Each structure stands twice: as C-alpha cells, then as structure tokens.
C-alpha cells in the first residue's frame, strides 16, 4: 500500500561533469511504499540521478531529502542515509574472496555493529527469501549471474533499508536469468518496499510500477501510471522512445 508520505524529495537537481550538464533541474517525489521506474535512452542521466539519492554522486544545485534528512557534504548525514538506502548495481560488486554468507554479513557486522550470530541469522533468512539458501557457503565465482545478483539484493536488504535503488539490475544478465531477479523484485514490491528502478524491462514496469517516468537529456520528460505511460503517452519524445523498445 502506497502512503502519501514522501520519503524521497529531489528538487531542481543539477549536476555537471566538468562542462557537461548531466542533470538539468531534475525533480522527483517518491512516497513511502511506492515503486517508481525510470526509463530513457542511454546517457539520459537516469543512473546519475538515482546515485545522488545516497550520495554516490554529488550534485551542485538543488536539494535532495531522504526520509527527512537532507543530503549535503556532511559526512554524518551521508552515512546515515546510506544505512537507510540499499542499492543494487548492474554489476554485482560482490567480494570474490568471501563466501555468499560473508558478503551479506559484512555491512551489518561493521556498520550496524551486530553480533555475528544475529547477522548470520538474518543473512540466512534473506538467502531463503531470494531463493538461494543452499548457496550460502559458496563463493561468487561458483554462482550464475542471476544467483550473484540475488546475493547482491540480499546483501542490500541485510542493512534493513527503507528504500531500495536498482540501477539496471538485469542488464548484465543472460536472458534466461532475468526472470529470477525480477521475481525477487516483484516480491519486494508486494511487501511494500519503496523502490526506484532504472530498467528497460517493460513487462516489469507494467506489472509492478506505480509510476513510470521518462528521462532524457538530464530532465524528466513524462510521468504517469504504467497504463497511461505505455498506451497513451502525452509527449512525442516518449512515443518515439517507446516505439524503439516495444
């Protein structure tokens, strides 16, 4: 159930890489429990935009507030926000020399200061939740891409975040592995997790998203329900983009 309480508020966000103006006044409000899908062509600023939500990318102008905390250069704020915002990337970014269980318990042990028994108990619950409990003692290199991405999701969930960000989580996977990752994300959405997802998976967006947004050239072009966005887009840029991916 989507609440009407905002948990992410991005207002007029601008970012430059040198002279390149990558975000041009991007604004977005996400409510608690809402699933928002960002779509758009390569280089449109989607990944950069969501990476500003947990301080992985700095922004030069505007304001971003996450669950009442404004992201600034205050490192204490950044640390607090990163504990509440989980992120899953295109590449799995697992530590190859650690087992699956060790990858998942690392942050709770060091950041949350949990006991080893508490961290491992939660990790095993999460591995069962994402359907790979039997892989706990294996190393990432022994797993398929889809299994590794599910470990990455479990690792992010181990910090018990309020928000999950997904940056094209299936783009590095073979087609037959995509579904198993999307199924985990569907389950998260059904449980009420606030999610912002950068993806081109139209089926997922239609089924799971509360809103779908098109980004292009650093700006948000159009926003609407999946039904409106995919069947009756208002902007010519959206129609052109959809004609290329559907």
């Amino acid at each position: 159930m989507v609440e009407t309480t905002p948990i992410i508020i991005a207002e007029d966000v601008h970012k430059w890489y040198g002279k390149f103006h990558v975000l041009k006044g991007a604004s977005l409000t996400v409510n608690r429990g809402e699933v928002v899908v960002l779509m758009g062509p390569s280089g449109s600023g989607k990944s950069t935009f969501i990476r500003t939500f947990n301080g992985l990318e700095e922004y030069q102008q505007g304001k971003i507030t996450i669950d009442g905390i404004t992201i600034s250069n205050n490192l204490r704020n950044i640390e607090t926000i990163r504990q509440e915002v989980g992120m899953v990337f295109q590449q799995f970014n697992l530590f190859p020399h650690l087992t699956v269980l060790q990858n998942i318990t690392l942050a709770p042990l060091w950041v949350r200061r949990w006991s080893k028994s508490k961290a491992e108990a939660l990790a095993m619950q999460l591995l069962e939740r994402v359907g790979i409990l039997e892989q706990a003692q294996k190393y990432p290199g022994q797993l398929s891409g889809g299994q590794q991405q599910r470990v990455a999701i479990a690792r992010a969930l181990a910090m018990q975040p309020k928000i999950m960000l997904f940056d094209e989580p299936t783009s590095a996977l073979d087609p037959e592995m995509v579904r198993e990752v999307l199924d985990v994300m569907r389950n998260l959405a059904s449980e009420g997790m606030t999610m912002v997802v950068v993806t081109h998976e139209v089926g997922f967006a239609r089924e799971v998203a509360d809103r779908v947004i098109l980004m292009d050239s650093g700006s948000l072009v159009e926003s609407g329900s999946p039904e409106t966005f995919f069947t009756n887009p208002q902007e010519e840029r959206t129609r052109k983009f959809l004609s290329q991916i559907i």
Side-chain angles (χ1 to χ4, degrees):
M1 178 69 70
V2 177
E3 300 179 23
T4 55
T5 309
I7 191 168
I8 300 173
I9 304 173
E11 303 171 270
D12 193 31
V13 176
H14 292 259
K15 178 177 177 59
W16 287 264
Y17 289 123
K19 294 183 179 180
F20 179 53
H21 196 178
V22 62
L23 295 177
K24 303 174 182 176
S27 296
L28 175 66
T29 297
V30 180
N31 290 325
R32 247 174 243 281
E34 189 175 16
V35 178
V36 174
V37 167
L38 290 178
M39 306 188 96
S42 178
S44 59
K46 309 180 299 295
S47 295
T48 300
F49 190 35
I50 68 166
R51 287 166 70 96
T52 63
F53 297 169
N54 62 357
L56 286 178
E57 293 280 1
E58 293 182 359
Y59 60 98
Q60 286 80 43
Q61 189 176 315
K63 183 179 180 182
I64 297 175
T65 305
I66 305 294
D67 198 24
I69 302 173
T70 299
I71 295 181
S72 65
N73 292 326
N74 183 326
L75 293 181
R76 182 175 296 176
N77 277 3
I78 294 292
E79 289 173 5
T80 301
I81 285 167
R82 285 181 183 165
Q83 290 183 33
E84 306 300 340
V85 182
M87 187 157 189
V88 177
F89 302 88
Q90 297 178 41
Q91 303 299 328
F92 321 123
N93 296 336
L94 301 173
F95 292 108
H97 63 290
L98 300 179
T99 66
V100 165
L101 185 64
Q102 290 169 334
N103 266 280
I104 296 172
T105 58
L106 194 63
L109 288 172
W110 287 91
V111 179
R112 296 286 193 197
R113 303 293 183 184
W114 287 1
S115 67
K116 185 178 180 181
S117 60
K118 180 179 179 179
E120 288 188 348
L122 177 62
M124 296 302 279
Q125 290 175 20
L126 291 170
L127 284 172
E128 185 171 20
R129 187 173 170 186
V130 301
I132 49 172
L133 180 60
E134 72 283 357
Q135 309 295 343
Q137 299 304 328
K138 291 186 178 179
Y139 290 88
Q142 298 173 290
L143 306 181
S144 70
Q147 289 172 329
Q148 289 188 62
Q149 193 62 296
R150 283 187 280 169
V151 173
I153 293 172
R155 179 182 59 181
L157 292 173
M159 288 293 287
Q160 299 184 320
K162 297 176 181 176
I163 300 164
M164 284 287 286
L165 307 176
F166 293 87
D167 185 7
E168 299 197 38
T170 60
S171 65
L173 300 177
D174 293 333
E176 64 269 20
M177 297 177 184
V178 169
R179 183 171 181 81
E180 60 192 51
V181 173
L182 292 180
D183 282 346
V184 172
M185 294 169 64
R186 287 186 182 94
N187 290 337
L188 276 179
S190 70
E191 293 165 4
M193 175 65 75
T194 305
M195 296 164 58
V196 182
V197 184
V198 174
T199 186
H200 289 147
E201 296 290 342
V202 173
F204 174 84
R206 284 181 184 272
E207 178 186 345
V208 178
D210 296 296
R211 268 190 296 158
V212 184
I213 295 169
L214 180 73
M215 279 194 75
D216 190 29
S217 302
S219 300
L220 277 65
V221 175
E222 182 163 351
S223 174
S225 69
E227 182 178 359
T228 301
F229 185 90
F230 290 111
T231 63
N232 189 29
Q234 302 302 300
E235 301 293 331
E236 177 58 33
R237 182 67 188 91
T238 308
R239 290 191 286 271
K240 181 179 179 182
F241 173 74
L242 290 176
S243 72
Q244 295 171 338
I245 67 167
I246 297 178

